Amino acid sequence: MTQYQPSSQARRFSVLKFGSSVLRNADDYARVAHEIYRHTRTGEKVVAVVSALDGETDALFAMGDQVGQGSSDRVLARLVRCGELKSAALMGLALERSGVPVAVLDPHEMDLVASGDPLDANLSGLNREKVLARFDQADVIVAPGFFGEDENGPITLGRGGTDLTAVMFAHWLGADRARLIKDVDGVYSDDPAKNPDAHRFDALDYEAARKVSHGLVQDKAISRAKALDVVVEVASLGKAYATRIAAQVEKPAAARVERPLRVAVLGHGAVGAGLCQHLLAHPNRFQLSPILVRNPAKHSPDADPRLHFTQDPAEALRDDTDIVVEALGGTGFARSLSQSALRDGRHLVTANKAVIALDLALLSGLARENGLDLRYSAAVGGGTPILEHLDELAPKNDVLAVEGVMNGTCNFILDALDRGELFADAVAEAQRLGFAEADPSTDLDGDDAADKLAIICHHAFGIMPDVRDISRESLSDLSPERIAAAREAGLVFKQVGRCVADNTGGVDARVELRALPQSHPFAALRNEANGFLIHRPQGLTYIKGKGAGRWPTAEAMFADLMDVQRRHARSASPGKTTTTRQKTASQDHRMPRESAL
Ligand code: HSE
């Protein structure tokens, strides 16, 4: 049987730890999901180690004391680790919502061995192979921090012990560092909340870090990191920089001042509304202008009261707009607004595959001439980072062909038909769930997949075919009898887009309905899932995720926005706004992006 390598960079790991200071309430799991997605979309596999929600461990200790009056540390440990178990499950749910393939594992499922005092133990072993095997299906493994197992059950690692869990995972998995995400953007000479003269460090050695961190990083974790030569980073959510703790010389950091960027969101449908929620959750980074919609009265009653709506483009696209987010869809108004956004000096983030398929050369040229960012990750694959994978592989001439299930609506409907449901019911359900285009015939007839395939060709081979030249089969051509016959033969229908470069400098691209055997990876794609096989000289790379719907698509758009924010939000001095109209690094046809750090 063909071996499908789940990801091209399957063994590039990040260990990220999220402490209680960034998990203050249930809403914070979405923010943390953004941070994790930032890494997975560059092809990294992530171990996300989580603490309990803020205050939960204290509450559990207090409850344990109340009920048991401290009678048994071992049973108390069993109680207080529950905060981390709950937090790991919540993290898994938030990642699933965003369409990120995730596995949540309890310590005993990874043979995470601890030894010592039940309330102040150390970690002594991990079944590395068991963990690595889970990465065949998942991009993220969520592990509860703070405890492991000895022969008599769970024991905890002392307060702040999730830092130690992260350090040990980085050591056992051979990750290049453990990145501890806190509510401060690094280690300071003093508490920056109390001392305005406190300065941040870019780099510290282990002993200096222990002296100045005042418990910001668990002492035991620093000691183990030093002994095992694990690099530790302390960073905050969404930042590209960190304090690096390693065997090195101390380095104070230059002062950084960031200003919020003004965002004009065009459209408030399934995706636009999801994105606005993410923007509202980051007021220090983004200020939202009134959202451009056709009928403000329709959106206002149900929307968050902080959102304002307008049908006046001039009000939505204020003069001080930094970024335009196009979530209107279609190729009429959306097309002209995308061009004018870049002409007027705004960065453009869009999910509109039809506009990108038509105008990528024009829009890229405008972005390049004006020193602006053009981002459209969500246009293909929803939250599945296929374009990012291709951008990494294509410069190495590493792509021979790409095949993919790239329309979530068609996959959802084919799945329903395979279960014997009615076509019209399946279409209506896809519309209700927000997967389908405004006109679902765009999905059913293969037009949406053809647009996406054209963009894929561009990223895989540097060739943008005319979408009209991409042949396509429509779901309407598929009779219930054909589906039933396929099922009888053990086959399942999928809509598959495929492109391969020919040796005349052209590309053969088509959207087909294919009856596939159950052993084919696309056969396992359920509902709105997307999956892509990249044919490479070394074999096949398979990536999958959720290809449509509010949260996966909003996740990809928000990741694009955060990339733009990290590139452009720095002011030269407090209160002074600069940089967004400056020339930036030149863009080729691919999407420039920083590494996730
Ligand atoms: N209608 C599209 C789909 C939305 O179903 O895949 C995501 O591009």
Side-chain angles (χ1 to χ4, degrees):
M1 201 180 105
T2 317
Q3 287 296 310
Y4 296 108
Q5 189 192 345
S7 167
S8 56
Q9 299 87 16
R11 298 296 173 248
R12 196 145 59 81
F13 294 112
S14 264
V15 175
L16 308 178
K17 176 260 172 176
F18 300 96
S20 300
S21 66
V22 292
L23 292 171
R24 288 152 309 172
N25 58 55
D27 289 340
D28 286 332
Y29 290 95
R31 294 166 187 272
V32 170
H34 302 323
E35 184 73 15
I36 293 171
Y37 180 71
R38 175 153 81 102
H39 289 259
T40 58
R41 83 173 189 154
T42 69
E44 285 183 9
K45 299 285 187 182
V46 171
V47 175
V49 183
V50 294
S51 296
L53 275 164
D54 192 22
E56 288 244 67
T57 309
D58 287 340
L60 287 168
F61 268 112
M63 195 183 290
D65 277 346
Q66 183 192 337
V67 173
Q69 275 111 41
S71 49
S72 160
D73 283 356
R74 189 163 268 286
V75 181
L76 194 56
R78 206 174 261 278
L79 172 70
V80 297
R81 53 101 198 215
C82 291
E84 272 69 18
L85 283 175
K86 172 177 156 188
S87 188
L90 287 166
M91 192 68 253
L93 290 171
L95 288 163
E96 277 189 358
R97 185 181 80 155
S98 290
V100 178
V102 56
V104 181
L105 297 180
D106 292 352
H108 70 89
E109 294 171 290
M110 302 176 273
D111 303 340
L112 183 61
V113 179
S115 52
D117 180 334
L119 294 180
D120 193 18
N122 282 302
L123 288 173
S124 47
L126 173 79
N127 189 330
R128 187 172 182 271
E129 296 316 314
K130 263 193 185 172
V131 176
L132 296 184
R134 300 304 287 254
F135 277 129
D136 285 351
Q137 292 299 322
D139 288 345
V140 182
I141 288 172
V142 179
F146 184 50
F147 75 103
E149 300 267 337
D150 72 6
E151 61 284 2
N152 295 310
I155 53 176
T156 58
L157 310 178
R159 299 312 295 263
T162 306
D163 288 344
L164 180 60
T165 312
V167 164
M168 295 311 293
F169 265 92
H171 169 63
W172 283 317
L173 295 179
D176 59 357
R177 75 255 193 262
R179 190 169 170 96
L180 313 180
I181 314 283
K182 313 252 176 194
D183 62 348
V184 285
D185 58 356
V187 181
Y188 280 73
S189 55
D190 197 358
D191 182 348
K194 295 188 187 135
N195 178 358
D197 295 328
H199 63 270
R200 199 179 64 80
F201 294 97
D202 270 343
L204 282 168
D205 71 21
Y206 295 103
E207 285 314 315
R210 196 206 312 272
K211 274 192 206 115
V212 293
S213 101
H214 305 296
L216 179 70
V217 182
Q218 191 202 33
D219 266 6
K220 213 158 56 172
I222 297 178
S223 299
R224 292 304 289 152
K226 183 179 180 190
L228 299 167
D229 206 17
V230 172
V231 174
V232 175
E233 289 178 350
V234 177
S236 62
L237 286 171
K239 301 285 194 215
Y241 59 90
T243 297
R244 183 183 156 93
I245 302 171
Q248 66 199 347
V249 288
E250 184 173 311
K251 191 172 158 214
R256 288 172 184 264
V257 181
E258 291 186 357
R259 67 181 183 92
L261 298 182
R262 179 158 285 279
V263 183
V265 175
L266 315 180
H268 192 254
V271 174
L275 186 68
C276 286
Q277 278 204 25
H278 292 333
L279 289 167
L280 285 177
H282 294 80
N284 295 335
R285 294 198 166 104
F286 301 108
Q287 286 174 350
L288 248 176
S289 296
I291 301 154
L292 186 67
V293 291
R294 206 168 285 130
N295 179 2
K298 186 180 133 203
H299 295 272
S300 304
D302 301 326
D304 186 299
R306 290 169 294 176
L307 294 177
H308 301 283
F309 299 93
T310 179
Q311 54 190 355
D312 177 2
E315 203 188 334
L317 294 157
R318 301 163 34 137
D319 283 352
D320 60 348
T321 302
D322 296 297
I323 310 175
V324 172
V325 176
E326 197 273 277
L328 291 165
T331 52
F333 200 32
R335 191 176 182 189
S336 54
L337 280 179
S338 298
Q339 292 171 24
S340 55
L342 291 165
R343 285 206 174 92
D344 293 345
R346 304 10 168 154
H347 308 288
L348 177 64
V349 173
T350 176
N352 192 324
K353 50 262 166 180
V355 165
I356 295 296
L358 284 169
D359 290 338
L360 182 54
L362 171 70
L363 295 174
S364 297
L366 286 171
R368 190 167 44 241
E369 281 159 26
N370 294 311
L372 297 163
D373 284 353
L374 166 65
R375 301 290 178 131
Y376 51 88
S377 172
V380 185
T384 316
I386 176 64
L387 298 183
E388 289 79 357
H389 270 72
L390 292 175
D391 284 351
E392 187 145 338
L393 298 175
K396 301 178 218 154
N397 285 328
D398 229 7
V399 184
L400 303 174
V402 185
E403 301 177 276
V405 166
M406 56 191 78
N407 182 275
T409 302
C410 286
N411 200 59
F412 184 88
I413 292 168
L414 287 168
D415 222 17
L417 295 181
D418 194 49
R419 291 192 303 268
E421 291 173 27
L422 292 176
F423 190 84
D425 290 350
V427 175
E429 183 63 359
Q431 284 179 295
R432 191 186 69 76
L433 291 169
F435 305 150
E437 298 302 302
D439 173 1
S441 68
T442 309
D443 298 301
L444 305 179
D445 294 342
D447 301 344
D448 178 82
D451 289 336
K452 292 169 178 168
L453 192 57
I455 300 169
I456 285 176
C457 289
H458 186 69
H459 285 258
F461 309 119
I463 302 166
M464 187 77 165
D466 187 326
V467 280
R468 288 168 303 191
D469 296 337
I470 297 180
S471 65
R472 57 204 81 169
E473 283 181 279
S474 172
L475 248 62
S476 343
D477 301 334
L478 208 53
S479 64
E481 292 73 32
R482 268 180 81 194
I483 294 175
R487 199 181 320 125
E488 288 277 294
L491 303 174
V492 55
F493 268 106
K494 295 284 165 189
Q495 185 207 54
V496 180
R498 174 177 176 278
C499 58
V500 52
D502 61 29
N503 43 21
T504 65
V507 61
D508 178 26
R510 55 189 69 197
V511 177
E512 302 167 321
L513 295 172
R514 279 205 226 148
L516 299 172
Q518 296 293 345
S519 58
H520 195 287
F522 293 164
L525 295 172
R526 297 275 82 87
N527 297 322
E528 76 276 26
N530 278 193
F532 298 87
L533 278 170
I534 306 172
H535 295 250
R536 308 168 60 196
Q538 305 87 331
L540 288 164
T541 293
Y542 182 50
I543 63 165
K544 63 175 194 271
K546 283 190 185 168
R550 169 172 293 176
W551 297 115
T553 314
E555 191 68 51
M557 292 190 90
F558 190 72
D560 280 350
L561 270 161
M562 285 295 295
D563 276 355
V564 176
Q565 194 268 350
R566 279 185 288 271
R567 280 162 61 87
H568 298 283
R570 285 182 64 182
S571 300
S573 58
K576 191 169 158 201
T577 60
T578 57
T579 69
T580 57
R581 311 286 190 274
Q582 287 173 3
K583 286 272 178 209
T584 56
S586 73
Q587 286 179 295
D588 64 5
H589 65 279
R590 304 180 205 290
M591 295 187 284
R593 63 188 70 252
E594 61 194 309
S595 77
L597 283 173

